[in-house]
C-alpha cells in the first residue's frame, strides 16, 4: 500500500518539552511538506523540502525545526520556543514542486499543557 | 505573498440540491488550483483540481471553474448526498501553497 503515515495520531506533552512528529512516505515523492491546522482555519505551511538534505521555511516556521536525511522521511520537531504548539499537524508529499497534487497523511493532534 | 479568501464559511443544503463554494486569490502568478475535502480527524483528500490554462473541469457530480481575469475559482457539487458533508478547502499555488480557511458543508437528508 502506497501512502503517507504519521505517528502517533495523538500526542500529549508538557510545556517546555521538545517533541518530534514522524512522517514517512513510500510514494517515491521528492517534495514533502508540514502544515499546521487550527480550528476553523485553513492549513498554514511550516516547512517544505523539495529534495533530500534541503528544506525551506514556510509562513510560520518560528519554533519548529525539520530534517530531511532520507527521501522517505521528513520529521518535524516542535520546540519549546513555539508559543502555541497545540494544533493538528499534517504532513504531505508531492512528485515535485507544489504544482503537483499533494497527498496528505492522517495527521497528528498535539496537545501541550 | 498570496492571499486566498474562501466563501461561505458554512453552507447547509438539502440532499439533492447543488452547492457552490467560491475562492478568490491575489497572486496572478498562481497557476494551479486544487480543491480538498477533509473529514473530521483526517487529512485532506484532493477531489478536483484545475490549471491556469483551463477554464472548467468536471468529474461526475463535481466541477471547478476558473476565471483568471477576475482571479476567482469555484467548486460546484450537484445532486448533493449526505456523504458530501465535510470541510472543503481551496488552494492557490504560486511556488508555495496557500489555502483558504475552509467551508463546512452540511447536506441534510
Amino acid at each position: 500500500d502506497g501512502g503517507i503515515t504519521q505517528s502517533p495520531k495523538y500526542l500529549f506533552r508538557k510545556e517546555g518539552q521538545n517533541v518530534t512528529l514522524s512522517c514517512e512516505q513510500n510514494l517515491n515523492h521528492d517534495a514533502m511538506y508540514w502544515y499546521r491546522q487550527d480550528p476553523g482555519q485553513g492549513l498554514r505551511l511550516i516547512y517544505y523540502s523539495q529534495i533530500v538534505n534541503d528544506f525551506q521555511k514556510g509562513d510560520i516556521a518560528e519554533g519548529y525545526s525539520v530534517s530531511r536525511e532520507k527521501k522517505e522521511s521528513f520529521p518535524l520537531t516542535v520546540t519549546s520556543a513555539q508559543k502555541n504548539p497545540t494544533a493538528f499537524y499534517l504532513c504531505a508529499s508531492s512528485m515535485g514542486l507544489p504544482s503537483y497534487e499533494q497527498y496528505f497523511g492522517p495527521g497528528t493532534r498535539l496537545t501541550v499543557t | 505573498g498570496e492571499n486566498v479568501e474562501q466563501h461561505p464559511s458554512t453552507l447547509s443544503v438539502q440532499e439533492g440540491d447543488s452547492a457552490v463554494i467560491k475562492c478568490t486569490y491575489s497572486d496572478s502568478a498562481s497557476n494551479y488550483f486544487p480543491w480538498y475535502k477533509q473529514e473530521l480527524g483526517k487529512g485532506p483528500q484532493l477531489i478536483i483540481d484545475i490549471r491556469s490554462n483551463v477554464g472548467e473541469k468536471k468529474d461526475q457530480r463535481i466541477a471547478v471553474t476558473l476565471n483568471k481575469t477576475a482571479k476567482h475559482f469555484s467548486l460546484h457539487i450537484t445532486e448533493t448526498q449526505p456523504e458530501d458533508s465535510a470541510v472543503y478547502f481551496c488552494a492557490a499555488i504560486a511556488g508555495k501553497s496557500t489555502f483558504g480557511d475552509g467551508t463546512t458543508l452540511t447536506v441534510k437528508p
Side-chain angles (χ1 to χ4, degrees), chain B residues 13-26:
Chain B
V13 300
Q14 287 295 137
E15 183 177 359
D17 287 350
S18 295
V20 180
I21 303 170
K22 299 181 179 180
C23 288
T24 60
Y25 62 99
S26 60

Side-chain angles (χ1 to χ4, degrees), chain A residues 43-87:
Chain A
L43 284 66
R44 291 184 290 168
L45 183 64
I46 304 173
Y47 269 98
Y48 64 102
S49 167
Q50 294 186 17
I51 198 167
V52 174
N53 291 324
D54 185 56
F55 47 82
Q56 308 294 329
K57 292 182 179 180
D59 300 318
I60 55 165
E62 186 175 347
Y64 299 98
S65 66
V66 294
S67 63
R68 187 84 187 278
E69 297 176 1
K70 299 188 298 181
K71 188 175 185 178
E72 306 78 26
S73 179
F74 191 41
L76 172 75
T77 297
V78 184
T79 75
S80 56
Q82 168 50 233
K83 297 189 187 318
N84 297 297
T86 295

Side-chain angles (χ1 to χ4, degrees), chain B residues 4-8 11 19-25 32-36 47-51 54-59 61-68 70-78 88-92 103:
Chain B
V4 176
E5 293 191 2
Q6 183 172 344
H7 298 280
L11 180 59
V20 180
I21 303 170
K22 299 181 179 180
C23 288
T24 60
Y25 62 99
Y32 176 55
F33 307 91
W35 285 91
Y36 291 88
I47 55 171
I48 195 166
D49 56 10
I50 192 168
R51 297 189 184 274
V54 175
E56 184 173 357
K57 184 176 178 181
K58 189 173 181 180
D59 182 4
R61 298 187 296 108
I62 295 172
V64 57
T65 58
L66 171 64
N67 183 327
K68 282 196 66 180
K71 294 195 186 71
H72 67 70
F73 55 112
S74 300
L75 176 71
H76 304 253
I77 306 174
T78 59
Y88 292 81
F89 291 97
C90 64
T103 295

